[in-house]
Amino acid sequence: MISLAMREQVKSSSIIRAMFEEGKRLAAIHGTENVYDFSLGNPSVEPPNEVKEAIFEIINEENSMAVHGYMNNSGFEDVREAIADSLNRRFATQFSSENILMTVGAAGGLNVIIKTLLNPGDEVITFAPFFGEYRNYVQNHQGQLLVVSPNTKDFQPNLEEFKEKINPKTKAVLINSPNNPTGVVYSEETIIRLADILREKQHEYGSEIYLIADEPYRELAYDQVEVPYLTKYYENTIVGYSFSKSLSLPGERVGYLVIPTQAADFNNLISGANIANRILGFVNAPSLFQRVIAKCLNAQVNIESYNQNRELLYNGLVSFGYECIKPEGAFYLFIKTPLENDVEFCNLAKQKNILIVPGSAFSCPGYARIAYCVPYATIERALPGFKSLISDMKGQK
């Protein structure tokens, strides 16, 4: 018998993954070209050439025992130094290798820092809509996730409600920008106000509140939109990053945490995170791909491909009568569902072989997420189905 906790986890297993599996089932029936799977945020753009070149160079020229062996739980020091130097050039920060901890993707990094920070019963605040796994990550470490309701006007964080929900149990605030599922980039004005609220509440309660920035989509921003680098706005910021999207390497599971020296209790933070990296079973980030990404820090996927998808999908859906905010980043578009019941709407979409994820999975019912990290032709073929779907809705009113 599995644990009671895991039984509950199995019951509430990710609807995103369930949709992905449904897509494979439908493809076997109707043919892959006739199923339009917008469920999973799996990059559709190939990794840059630098990645392949780096792999061959490392395998052929570097000492294999060093490449594949253990290292410090934080990761290779030269890799961490290279990342720190890159961040310093780009964002005028002052990091060194001691501020970087290599992790098994952004998900591994979030689990590491949440385990490091939380006592049983501590609260982590996040803003709806949010990536549903956040709830699991916090519960994994005996914390409670407190959700701020969505601001559906522009999907910037609802800071008035946020201010009311901070309390003496608040240990951390978890944000994601560019955001999954909306594609919205949190503005500098929003970040400044958020930081001011956090400082005010720290002073009021006499405790430290950490801001955890989940940033796997940082490099995927369009129309010259700037994504603020949060350590410059709030001292107790910890950044989690992944190369899954910026280099199209989701299966390689490599990323890092940035823990700034000015963060409260820095020495214990970095020591605790190192130990958490080990006892969670990660031990260290994948060694080969640590070395690969160190050679590819200036490389980037062709985001123009994603931008073309964004323009085609957004313009098409709006012309049909769908309501949505034009995404500024990531590769998701978040539509208001014509039916109040978003799950029912997504089931109707499935009848047209269109797979999208209900907003309820992101704590934002009445909406649906469309992942446009797919071939351009998939969107072209799917648009008539989206048009037919909303026409059916209008015909029933």
Side-chain angles (χ1 to χ4, degrees), residues 62-220:
E62 296 192 21
N63 182 292
S64 61
M65 296 300 291
V67 169
H68 302 297
Y70 284 131
M71 78 296 296
N72 185 291
N73 295 129
S74 285
F76 291 115
E77 185 171 359
D78 60 330
V79 173
R80 292 184 285 126
E81 193 67 46
I83 290 170
D85 289 346
S86 174
L87 293 173
N88 294 341
R89 286 194 302 272
R90 295 168 61 201
F91 304 116
T93 49
Q94 294 182 320
F95 301 131
S96 69
S97 61
E98 71 174 358
N99 300 116
I100 309 297
L101 187 147
M102 304 304 298
T103 63
V104 181
L110 291 180
N111 274 275
V112 164
I113 198 59
I114 290 170
K115 182 169 184 62
T116 303
L117 290 175
L118 296 193
N119 293 305
D122 281 348
E123 292 181 353
V124 176
I125 297 178
T126 197
F127 298 91
F130 63 92
F131 181 49
E133 297 290 358
Y134 288 172
R135 191 177 301 279
N136 296 328
Y137 298 164
V138 172
Q139 289 177 349
N140 280 350
H141 308 295
Q142 302 181 65
Q144 300 294 321
L145 188 70
L146 200 62
V147 179
V148 176
S149 61
N151 159 26
T152 56
K153 179 181 178 181
D154 59 11
F155 288 105
Q156 293 288 315
N158 182 343
L159 294 180
E160 295 306 314
E161 182 179 324
F162 169 65
K163 188 172 182 179
E164 294 173 1
K165 285 194 169 178
I166 298 179
N167 64 81
K169 290 185 178 180
T170 305
K171 191 62 172 287
V173 177
L174 175 54
I175 68 171
N176 170 220
S177 174
N179 180 258
N180 173 14
T182 65
V184 167
V185 173
Y186 294 171
S187 69
E188 183 177 45
E189 178 185 2
T190 292
I191 298 305
I192 291 171
R193 288 179 59 209
L194 176 68
D196 287 343
I197 292 169
L198 287 171
R199 290 192 192 94
E200 176 187 331
K201 291 298 181 179
Q202 283 189 147
H203 179 73
E204 179 180 346
Y205 297 127
S207 60
E208 305 295 342
I209 303 174
Y210 293 90
L211 178 61
I212 304 172
D214 180 26
E215 297 195 347
Y217 301 98
R218 164 166 286 280
E219 270 59 65
L220 275 59

Side-chain angles (χ1 to χ4, degrees), residues 260-320:
T261 307
Q262 65 265 32
D265 204 19
F266 167 75
N267 289 329
N268 282 328
L269 268 181
I270 200 73
S271 297
N274 266 287
I275 294 169
N277 209 21
R278 185 171 75 243
I279 65 177
L280 284 171
F282 301 127
V283 182
N284 53 256
S287 59
L288 172 61
F289 270 84
Q290 285 191 53
R291 307 217 64 78
V292 169
I293 58 97
K295 293 177 177 292
C296 301
L297 291 173
N298 295 322
Q300 191 174 356
V301 296
N302 175 21
I303 68 167
E304 181 54 31
S305 176
Y306 292 137
N307 185 45
Q308 290 171 1
N309 287 2
R310 178 183 72 124
E311 295 287 353
L312 176 64
L313 183 62
Y314 174 79
N315 291 330
L317 293 182
V318 169
S319 73
F320 303 152

